[in-house]
Every structure is written in structure tokens, then in C-alpha cells.
Amino acid sequence: MFIMIAAWRRTSTRLSVEQRMGEAYSEAALSITITSITDILAFGIGAITNFPSVRIFCIYTGVAVLFDYIYQITFFGGCMALMGCREANNRHCLTCKIGRAHV
């Protein structure tokens, strides 16, 4: 989440929401994917241990990392796009009322 927001903030506000999302995903998606794959592999390897408590922990955590990855790529990206449209239309972040123009 923080990587996606940081990538979004580094994009130019003059670009369209679609272009900003494309740039943010091109910058952040690779690092999120690599991190998630290595975490899932590490917990997958931990799931073959003989200790039942460690095995259960690794299985549940590996599944949680997988679901978090899917969430980051789909749902959170959609929320970022909606907030980008709100930002492009100069609307308030909580009330979505049209704000004053910057002078």
C-alpha cells in the first residue's frame, strides 16, 4: 500500500488518472510482486516442518500474503483510481465537495 501511494505521489498531476495509474503500477507492481512471491515461498517452505504450530502459522500466513497481494493489485488500485478522479476534479477528500481553485 505504501509503495503504491509513494509511486502515485511521484507521478505528475498534469497527467490523466489512467496515465498516473499506469506509471504508478509500472513502478510499484514489480516490487510488490517480488516481495509477495518470496514471502509465499518462505512460508510455503515453513509449512513442511514437523512442528504443527509452525506449520499452521506458515500455511495461514502464506495464504494471507497471497490474499493481500490480490487485494493490492485489484481493490486498492481501484480505490486509488477513484481518489485520483476526485483529486483531478479538485474535490475534498472527505466530503467530495468541489473545492476552491488554487491561486
Side-chain angles (χ1 to χ4, degrees):
M1 180 168 67
F2 299 112
I3 295 171
M4 292 286 288
I5 292 173
W8 176 266
R9 287 187 168 185
R10 281 192 290 273
T11 60
S12 173
T13 56
R14 292 185 179 94
L15 297 174
S16 69
V17 174
E18 293 83 8
Q19 291 172 326
R20 290 182 78 184
M21 286 296 295
E23 285 187 16
Y25 267 108
S26 68
E27 184 177 324
L30 181 64
S31 61
I32 292 172
T33 301
I34 290 172
T35 302
S36 296
I37 288 172
T38 56
D39 288 348
I40 290 170
L41 284 175
F43 289 118
I45 292 169
I48 61 174
T49 186
N50 293 329
F51 298 109
S53 58
V54 174
R55 181 183 310 133
I56 291 169
F57 172 78
C58 288
I59 290 170
Y60 281 109
T61 307
V63 171
V65 170
L66 176 66
F67 278 109
D68 183 53
Y69 174 74
I70 293 168
Y71 164 79
Q72 290 287 330
I73 297 300
T74 58
F75 182 76
F76 185 71
C79 290
M80 270 183 39
L82 290 174
M83 288 298 115
C85 291
R86 181 206 48 81
E87 182 181 324
N89 293 328
N90 196 28
R91 294 187 177 266
H92 190 270
C93 64
L94 295 176
T95 62
C96 290
K97 291 182 179 179
I98 297 177
R100 291 181 269 168
H102 295 286
V103 180

